[in-house]
């Protein structure tokens, strides 16, 4: 009964995803190629940005009828999305079918985009759950940034009924909030724990220290940063469940994930295109590390086509022993996040701070949160050339002061640039020993 109710509105897409994951590799590749070029042609015909981008590259509508042309399409960068929000919005976008979403971005460059509300993207996560022995109707526990108001949470709970989703705010992981979360955990008995690597590690450390007994989930799913072997071992031993890595971003959700074999991550090639490119922007050979460039084939209100995410990985040849034919990439490397540790023992998961400037995306060019060895925090920002930018930035920095509740000083530094570390900005840095 519970399972029938839960899947009622999204069953068609979920069943289609389950069907696609077992296609012959050649059939799957052909399906992806056809959908990819169709999506690029749609963007050309329905957005000013892609029409200009492709025309400037010498491409014609005839070129966009050939699936073989897709790998040669120009790559889109974060700066393009920042500068051309209105031009990327498609003619299909309406207030009813789209929703503005903001991203802090792993490089500390906030931007905004539109979600296509017509696509039940959560079904992609459900397919991932099915690989781990978790049903979509099972209760879920989440450790991530809490952004919903109490009214929004009540609406959210009604939407997910009869299943329960409990959440621990990664911004406020003190003893009281963790204890309340564990109380909810025991009443709901979630089958899967999903969240930021740093937040789940801190939760595991708390449980290890306290010795509290709790219902073991079927699986633990981590994201937002690479999970180290030591972190994986700690989480698995503490929760008594296998850990699975999965790849998602604020701009393009649910792109790849581990199956039970845990031999790399299957890319969701029927609804995403994940390319791994070298310095020449050509596909690298298996075993060679390159940058990920992704395409969301399900978002028609704000197309992101060949969008450079900046993470690094490599492709894995062959078909996985699990029987799923979706292609694989190695677990993503290159995303760096750390936690802020306060003198009273509280921890602020670093991944959640990517959204620090979500309400000031037009006012901040880059940012970095740096905790010094004395626990004090410096927020470095490159402001936009706007007279109101500094005021908006100061308001956002006040959010950190609220999070730490006066435990440590927080100061703002306005800078003209933030140095890169290996090609990426470390948006959270901490000099305090963990």
């Amino acid at each position: 009964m519970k399972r029938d109710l839960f899947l009622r509105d999204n069953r068609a897409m979920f069943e289609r995803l389950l069907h696609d994951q077992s296609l012959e590799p050649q059939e799957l590749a052909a399906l992806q190629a056809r959908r990819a070029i169709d999506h690029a042609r749609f963007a050309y015909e329905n957005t000013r940005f892609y029409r200009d981008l492709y025309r400037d590259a010498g491409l014609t509508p005839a070129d966009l009828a050939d699936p073989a042309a897709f790998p040669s399409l120009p790559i889109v960068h974060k700066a393009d999305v920042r500068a051309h929000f209105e031009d990327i919005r498609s003619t299909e976008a309406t207030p009813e079918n789209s929703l503005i979403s903001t991203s802090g971005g792993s490089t500390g460059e906030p931007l905004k985009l539109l979600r296509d509300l017509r696509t039940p993207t959560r079904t992609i996560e459900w397919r991932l759950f099915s690989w781990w022995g978790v049903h979509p109707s099972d209760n879920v526990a989440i450790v991530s940034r809490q952004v919903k108001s109490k009214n929004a949470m009540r609406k959210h709970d009604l939407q997910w009924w009869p299943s329960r989703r409990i959440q621990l705010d990664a911004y406020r992981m003190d003893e009281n909030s963790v204890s309340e979360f564990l109380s909810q955990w025991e009443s709901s008995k979630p089958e899967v724990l999903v969240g930021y690597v740093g937040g789940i590690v801190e939760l595991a450390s708390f449980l290890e220290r306290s010795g509290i007994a709790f219902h073991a989930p079927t699986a633990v799913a981590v994201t937002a940063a690479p999970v180290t072997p030591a972190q994986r071992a700690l989480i698995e031993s503490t929760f008594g469940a296998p850990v699975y890595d999965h790849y998602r971003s604020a701009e393009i959700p649910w792109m790849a994930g581990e199956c039970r074999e845990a031999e790399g991550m299957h890319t969701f090639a029927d609804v995403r295109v994940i390319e791994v490119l070298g310095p020449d922007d050509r596909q690298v050979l298996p075993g060679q590390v390159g940058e990920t460039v992704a395409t969301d084939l399900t978002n028609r209100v704000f197309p992101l086509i060949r969008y450079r995410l900046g993470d690094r990985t490599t492709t894995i040849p062959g078909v996985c022993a699990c029987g799923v034919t979706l292609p694989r990439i190695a677990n993503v490397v290159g995303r760096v996040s750390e936690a802020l540790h306060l003198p009273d023992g509280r921890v602020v998961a670093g991944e959640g701070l990517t959204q620090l400037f979500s309400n000031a995306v037009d006012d901040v060019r880059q940012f970095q949160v740096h905790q010094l060895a004395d626990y004090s925090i410096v927020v470095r920002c490159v402001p936009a050339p706007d007279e109101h930018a500094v005021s908006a930035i100061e308001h956002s920095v006040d959010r950190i002061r609220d999070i730490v509740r006066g435990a440590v000083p927080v100061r703002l530094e306005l800078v003209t640039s933030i140095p890169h570390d290996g090609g990426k900005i470390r948006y959270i840095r901490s000099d305090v020993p963990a």
Side-chain angles (χ1 to χ4, degrees), residues 143 168 170 173-174 178 196-210 231 234-235 238-239 338-341 345-351 433-434:
V143 179
L168 174 62
M173 294 184 64
D174 55 25
V178 171
Y196 303 147
V197 172
I200 290 180
V201 166
E202 293 300 333
L203 178 60
S205 298
F206 176 90
L207 290 166
E208 188 178 50
R209 291 192 305 270
S210 64
Q231 289 172 330
L234 170 64
I235 297 169
T238 302
F239 288 97
E338 298 177 26
L340 302 182
H341 295 260
R346 283 183 290 138
V347 176
V348 180
E351 294 90 345

Side-chain angles (χ1 to χ4, degrees), residues 95-409:
E96 292 72 32
N97 67 20
S98 57
L99 177 69
I100 290 181
S101 177
T102 59
S103 163
S106 61
T107 56
E109 298 176 359
L111 52 87
K112 62 182 178 180
L113 55 145
L114 291 177
R115 296 270 178 238
D116 192 331
L117 300 179
R118 300 168 299 183
T119 301
T121 54
R122 184 69 66 176
T123 57
I124 305 172
E125 183 184 49
W126 296 348
R127 173 167 65 182
L128 193 57
F129 284 177
S130 73
W131 299 347
W132 309 333
V134 176
H135 190 270
S137 65
D138 289 334
N139 294 340
V140 179
I142 304 167
V143 179
S144 68
R145 183 181 66 102
Q146 176 63 272
V147 297
K148 292 182 173 64
S149 65
K150 289 184 178 180
N151 287 338
M153 282 302 298
R154 281 193 288 269
K155 182 179 179 180
H156 178 271
D157 291 343
L158 287 172
Q159 177 187 5
W160 287 101
W161 186 88
S163 296
R164 289 189 61 188
R165 300 173 76 87
I166 63 171
Q167 183 165 2
L168 174 62
D169 188 349
Y171 270 134
R172 301 181 183 277
M173 294 184 64
D174 55 25
E175 187 169 346
N176 289 337
S177 62
V178 171
S179 296
E180 181 182 352
F181 177 72
L182 292 175
S183 176
Q184 293 177 323
W185 181 295
E186 279 310 292
S187 65
S188 63
K189 294 181 169 49
E191 290 303 315
V192 61
L193 170 63
V194 183
Y196 303 147
V197 172
I200 290 180
V201 166
E202 293 300 333
L203 178 60
S205 298
F206 176 90
L207 290 166
E208 188 178 50
R209 291 192 305 270
S210 64
I212 296 174
F214 62 94
H215 166 80
T218 299
V220 179
V222 295
T223 191
V227 56
T228 67
Q231 289 172 330
R232 190 184 289 263
L234 170 64
I235 297 169
E236 289 185 340
S237 65
T238 302
F239 288 97
V243 170
Y244 300 103
D245 197 1
H246 64 299
Y247 186 32
R248 58 197 290 188
S249 73
E251 301 97 316
I252 303 179
W254 293 293
M255 294 180 287
E258 288 184 318
C259 65
R260 290 188 179 184
E261 295 293 324
E263 295 290 339
M265 295 191 289
H266 291 278
T267 65
F268 305 141
D270 46 348
V271 289
R272 308 281 186 259
V273 180
I274 307 298
E275 302 172 82
V276 183
L277 308 182
D280 59 356
D281 286 340
R282 295 175 183 245
Q283 182 72 36
V284 301
L285 296 174
Q288 294 180 341
V289 175
E291 283 196 69
T292 54
V293 170
T295 301
D296 182 350
L297 300 177
T298 64
N299 188 340
R300 288 167 64 94
V301 299
F302 198 82
L304 288 178
I305 300 171
R306 305 203 77 210
Y307 176 68
R308 189 183 296 279
L309 287 162
D311 301 313
R312 294 180 294 118
T313 186
T314 186
T315 57
I316 299 175
V319 176
C320 183
C322 74
V324 171
T325 57
L326 297 170
R328 290 173 295 160
I329 57 174
N331 293 55
V332 173
V333 298
R335 288 176 289 169
V336 180
S337 62
E338 298 177 26
L340 302 182
H341 295 260
L342 304 183
D344 60 6
R346 283 183 290 138
V347 176
V348 180
E351 294 90 345
L353 292 173
T354 60
Q355 298 293 330
L356 178 63
F357 293 97
S358 61
N359 294 325
V361 293
D362 295 324
D363 303 295
V364 183
R365 288 292 172 257
Q366 290 181 337
F367 74 90
Q368 181 184 72
V369 180
H370 184 188
Q371 183 172 40
L372 305 180
D374 63 359
Y375 289 95
S376 66
I377 297 170
V378 179
V379 183
R380 299 186 181 95
C381 289
V382 180
D386 183 275
E387 60 180 340
H388 303 294
V390 174
S391 175
I393 289 171
E394 289 175 341
H395 180 73
S396 295
V397 172
D398 282 341
R399 293 169 60 191
I400 287 192
R401 296 190 176 100
D402 179 58
I403 290 167
V404 302
R405 304 176 200 171
V408 297

Side-chain angles (χ1 to χ4, degrees), residues 72-108:
S72 64
L73 297 180
I75 291 175
V76 176
H77 301 267
K78 293 179 188 292
D80 297 322
V81 178
R82 287 180 55 86
H84 299 284
F85 173 80
E86 291 298 335
D87 291 342
I88 296 175
R89 184 200 300 260
S90 84
T91 57
E92 283 194 5
T94 69
E96 292 72 32
N97 67 20
S98 57
L99 177 69
I100 290 181
S101 177
T102 59
S103 163
S106 61
T107 56

